[in-house]
Amino acid sequence: MTHAPTASSVPPRPAPAPEGPIRWAAVGWDDPAAAGLRALMDAEIKPRYAPYGPRPHLPPPPTTDEIAVTWVAFDPSGDPVATASLRALPGDRWEIKRVFVRADHRGRGLAAAALAAVEASAAERGIAELMLQTGDRQPEAAALYAREGWRRIAPYPPYSRDPYSVCFAKRLSSGPAHAPDAARGKEPHRHA
């Protein structure tokens, strides 16, 4: 099943970068901006896990039909600089996938804003809990998740067979999510 982003699924506005404001857009999983950021993530992360050798037990990447929404942040020049996605898992479980900020835009709160965007999208869908998976060679990711209120859990399927998985969960508030732009009377921007 394909999940289209909703008009009110807009993340909280992050602090502007020194060169200007960041623009967030809900896009599809296969959008070139999102795909490009995931390719940068792979190039950065895969060498960390190379010492582990082949890992055939890892699940395949998400499919377009599993992704409800992908958020991408664009800098003032229109370049994609951050992303995160909301993925449906079997059994009415949901997870955040592929949280990534381009190296030259780190330290500006974009990873936390990307998490908040996906959490708000999930809350709007009535999702009560989210999960996410990272690996033991990504301590900066684990630190971010802990700082943002995620709690460590045992690896869940489809990662339960991966001895290097580090998993987290977070209960979502039943109250209103972060004040999205649409709630303040501003129309969200969509990137085509």
Side-chain angles (χ1 to χ4, degrees), residues 57-60 87-91 93-95 97 131-133 153-162 165 167-168:
H57 53 278
L58 287 177
R87 177 189 193 187
L89 292 173
R93 297 173 305 135
W94 293 83
E95 70 174 347
K97 288 299 294 177
M131 298 179 292
L132 60 78
Q133 179 266 351
I153 61 170
Y156 56 91
Y159 311 105
S160 49
R161 293 184 51 219
D162 178 22
S165 281
C167 295
F168 292 84

Side-chain angles (χ1 to χ4, degrees), residues 36-47 98-100 138:
L37 288 168
R38 289 193 306 272
L40 286 174
M41 181 181 190
D42 288 343
E44 181 179 317
I45 298 299
K46 282 186 178 181
R98 307 296 288 219
V99 178
F100 180 73
Q138 294 167 263

Side-chain angles (χ1 to χ4, degrees), residues 45-55 137:
I45 298 299
K46 282 186 178 181
R48 296 184 188 191
Y49 294 94
Y52 292 149
R55 295 167 65 198
R137 297 269 174 130

Side-chain angles (χ1 to χ4, degrees), residues 5-11 24-28 34 37 69-74 82-86 98 100 113-114 116-122 124-125 188-190:
T6 61
S8 60
S9 298
V10 177
W24 286 91
V27 301
L37 288 168
V69 64
T70 295
W71 284 103
V72 174
F74 294 88
T83 190
S85 296
L86 177 62
R98 307 296 288 219
F100 180 73
V118 177
E119 290 172 19
S121 294
E124 288 175 359
R125 288 172 170 77
H189 181 79
R190 299 281 181 227

Side-chain angles (χ1 to χ4, degrees), residues 62-85:
T63 65
T64 300
D65 287 344
E66 294 171 333
I67 300 298
V69 64
T70 295
W71 284 103
V72 174
F74 294 88
D75 69 11
S77 65
D79 292 330
V81 296
T83 190
S85 296

